[in-house]
Amino acid sequence: MKYLYVETYGCQMNVADTELLFGVLGKEGYAPTDEPSKADVMLVNTCAVRDNAEQRVIGRLGELKRFKRPGVVLGTVGCMAQRLGQQLLEDVPHVDLVIGPDGYRALPDLIEGALAGDRAADVDFKTWEHYEDIAPQREIGSKAFVTIQRGCDYRCTFCIVPMTRGRERSRKLSDVLAEVESLARRGVSEITLLGQTVNSYNDGERDFADMLYEVGAVAGIRRVRFTSPHPNDFSNRVIEAMAAVPTVCEHVHLPVQSGSSRVLKLMGRKYDREGYLRCVEQLRRSIPDIAISTDIIVGFPGETEAEFLETESLVREVGFDDAFTFKYSQRDGTGAVRLPDQVPEEVKGERLERIISTVREVACSRNMGLIGVKVEVLAEGMARRGELIQSRTRGNKVVLIDGPAELIGSYLTVRLTGTTGATFTGVPTPTGKELAIVG
Ligand code: SAH
Ligand code: F3S
């Protein structure tokens, strides 16, 4: 038996791509392992979005070196691999192969080459590539990620993704549907549809609204999520579909990046503060209880204190339920590198701290308002600490509940009894277990 070990960094699409890597090498007789010491092939699936993500990978590659016995192959795949290509082979001598997100079919060949002493990089874009004939190898539970679109046609000036994942392309809706149906038959009840601007999905005939109607109606699917939409791609049709399809969850992750219209323009986001707020308003009008989370970048080149304060005020005005907050990181080859007035590191750090505390305060006050409310949760697994079960609401809030491990995978109605600000505690209501999902 040959073993494959994969470490995954970055976004959910990388998690889904790792399942694809197991699929590609599963066909070649590789079984998954969690232990690098047992592996015949070790892969690091990388992120290039921020410099610190790349530095971590460089560090990890150094650590994995000690598991490289003769005959063991170490490869780097994903966005950082795509970005650096051949350069990575030159910089890190114990890396045998480098493959970008469109090149995973070449993995068996490159492994064979590596075993014969070749070191190679495959970083060609293949705009047709969807890996349609390769079944991702997943650990089947209640939830699954399904990639419906690859690449990105926006050009946000801070972002490296269009350079690492290439042009936007959508899978055929019928192919996505077949995959979701097969997952549902295997007991999956929650689907997260993935794409860089997932709501711009269009396979030439069907759009994202069609996708929500069809995936949302698959027997056995109780929850449909998607990430990440772009504010400009929320057509009325898509918002109507979100409101009309009962399985589509009342949560949207809607990256805003900044609350200043001037900064948004420099970022090339193609909406201004008012446009974003209009999008939020439309979503709330159609889906009144919708939870909204976001991504925020602080310290973009030229961002003044006053403009940073506009981001803070937007956080309060929208009342985000959660936010991922980042310090701007310069990426070679992106438009923003050339912008004047790069913000000093200390200023970025200080703004990051302030935005984190504003987000916490706003999220906490929203969450306090939910105490006493009854909600449906999916019991997802054991909580990291203690004996409690970690469950999640349709609004994507984490709720810790007391109960036997057998509840995992089932949907319950719970009353929210307390919150730490971010996560909740809850107790099952007297009706208790509502519906067991059979695996
Ligand atoms: N459209 C993609 C975005 C991928 S990058 C998606 O949402 O799926 C994820 C987030 O990382 C972005 O929303 C942005 O907030 C952040 N990000 C991207 N490039 C960055 C950079 N150069 N510096 C800091 N944060 C960045
Ligand atoms: Fe990046 Fe903007 Fe596309 S954040 S992934 S260029 S929508």
Side-chain angles (χ1 to χ4, degrees):
M1 190 54 115
K2 293 179 289 185
Y3 289 100
L4 168 65
Y5 171 82
V6 187
E7 244 171 62
T8 309
Y9 293 86
C11 64
Q12 284 140 323
M13 195 169 286
N14 261 12
V15 175
D17 278 356
T18 289
E19 295 172 342
L20 209 56
L21 294 167
F22 279 111
V24 170
L25 287 185
K27 280 189 177 174
E28 308 289 314
Y30 284 84
T33 176
D34 293 335
E35 293 167 46
S37 60
K38 262 178 75 174
D40 300 283
V41 173
M42 296 184 279
L43 299 177
V44 182
N45 191 0
T46 61
C47 173
V49 164
R50 283 168 294 276
D51 183 58
N52 56 7
E54 292 200 353
Q55 294 312 320
R56 257 175 64 212
V57 166
I58 296 286
R60 260 319 268 168
L61 289 171
E63 287 164 21
L64 289 173
K65 188 178 173 185
R66 66 194 163 97
F67 300 109
K68 265 204 76 178
R69 293 167 279 113
V72 172
V73 173
L74 175 61
T76 309
V77 303
C79 287
M80 178 185 172
Q82 180 71 39
R83 191 177 86 75
L84 295 173
Q86 193 66 31
Q87 185 67 42
L88 194 58
L89 289 176
E90 282 161 33
D91 293 348
V92 192
H94 53 281
V95 165
D96 304 300
L97 61 88
V98 171
I99 308 183
D102 281 348
Y104 297 149
R105 279 176 203 280
L107 199 48
D109 284 349
L110 263 61
I111 290 172
E112 203 176 310
L115 289 171
D118 287 344
R119 298 172 69 231
D122 183 336
V123 290
D124 294 337
F125 285 120
K126 300 174 190 72
T127 48
W128 44 266
E129 184 59 278
H130 283 297
Y131 301 105
E132 218 52 79
D133 53 320
I134 296 165
Q137 223 178 77
R138 303 173 158 105
E139 271 181 40
I140 290 290
S142 313
K143 312 205 292 181
F145 293 135
V146 175
T147 301
I148 65 168
Q149 174 202 55
R150 303 180 77 87
C152 180
D153 280 351
Y154 280 87
R155 287 291 175 273
C156 303
T157 58
F158 51 81
C159 186
I160 194 78
V161 171
M163 270 153 275
T164 63
R165 288 192 168 268
R167 298 301 305 262
E168 176 185 325
R169 66 217 97 137
S170 292
R171 289 174 71 188
K172 285 266 161 251
L173 194 144
S174 51
D175 289 331
V176 173
L177 203 59
E179 183 174 356
V180 172
E181 283 165 350
S182 134
L183 287 165
R185 282 195 295 273
R186 291 156 74 193
V188 170
S189 61
E190 177 179 313
I191 295 289
T192 303
L193 303 171
L194 300 179
Q196 298 300 334
T197 55
V198 70
N199 53 341
S200 71
Y201 171 90
N202 194 314
D203 73 354
E205 286 167 21
R206 321 288 302 280
D207 69 1
F208 191 61
D210 296 322
M211 178 67 82
L212 293 179
Y213 284 114
E214 301 241 349
V215 167
V218 170
I221 297 302
R222 286 191 61 159
R223 289 182 169 186
V224 178
R225 302 184 187 278
F226 54 88
T227 197
S228 294
H230 190 289
N232 281 21
D233 294 308
F234 266 123
S235 62
N236 290 337
R237 261 176 66 72
V238 169
I239 296 181
E240 274 165 30
M242 288 171 68
V245 180
T247 48
V248 173
C249 287
E250 293 76 25
H251 168 236
V252 64
H253 183 73
L254 190 62
V256 65
Q257 315 300 358
S258 168
S260 150
S261 292
R262 192 191 75 93
V263 172
L264 286 169
K265 191 162 187 358
L266 287 175
M267 286 177 162
R269 288 293 290 178
K270 310 222 181 290
Y271 54 83
D272 57 11
R273 179 185 175 102
E274 288 66 38
Y276 185 87
L277 289 171
R278 266 198 309 278
C279 182
V280 166
E281 193 189 300
Q282 279 171 340
L283 285 162
R284 287 213 165 118
R285 207 180 310 128
S286 303
I287 309 141
D289 295 329
I290 195 164
I292 305 180
S293 54
T294 198
D295 290 345
I296 292 170
I297 297 176
V298 298
F300 186 79
E303 182 189 73
T304 62
E305 171 67 13
E307 286 164 342
F308 166 74
L309 291 175
E310 286 187 72
T311 303
E312 271 205 323
S313 83
L314 182 109
V315 168
R316 292 184 196 283
E317 192 168 339
V318 173
F320 287 115
D321 291 88
D322 198 5
F324 296 118
T325 47
F326 310 105
K327 282 194 277 189
Y328 168 69
S329 168
Q330 257 185 318
R331 310 310 292 132
D332 279 349
T334 59
V337 171
R338 293 189 303 270
L339 290 175
D341 307 322
Q342 298 282 331
V343 175
E345 203 50 40
E346 327 72 85
V347 177
K348 287 188 211 168
E350 184 262 330
R351 287 182 189 166
L352 184 70
E353 276 177 36
R354 279 193 283 159
I355 202 74
I356 289 173
S357 93
T358 306
V359 166
R360 276 206 191 122
E361 181 195 321
V362 167
C364 177
S365 86
R366 282 185 67 80
N367 288 342
M368 295 292 273
L370 290 173
I371 301 223
V373 170
K374 275 191 208 166
V375 288
E376 180 205 78
V377 294
L378 166 60
E380 294 184 340
M382 295 309 289
R384 241 173 292 163
R385 279 174 295 161
E387 314 275 88
L388 298 175
I389 291 178
Q390 178 168 315
S391 70
R392 203 174 287 267
T393 70
R394 292 172 57 87
N396 211 34
K397 313 261 180 190
V398 170
V399 185
L400 300 177
I401 51 176
D402 203 355
E406 292 75 64
L407 287 180
I408 292 167
S410 57
Y411 289 83
L412 311 159
T413 305
V414 302
R415 196 166 53 79
L416 299 174
T417 50
T419 177
T420 60
T423 60
F424 290 87
T425 49
V427 285
T429 58
T431 44
K433 199 164 156 181
E434 194 193 75
L435 177 69
I437 293 295
V438 214

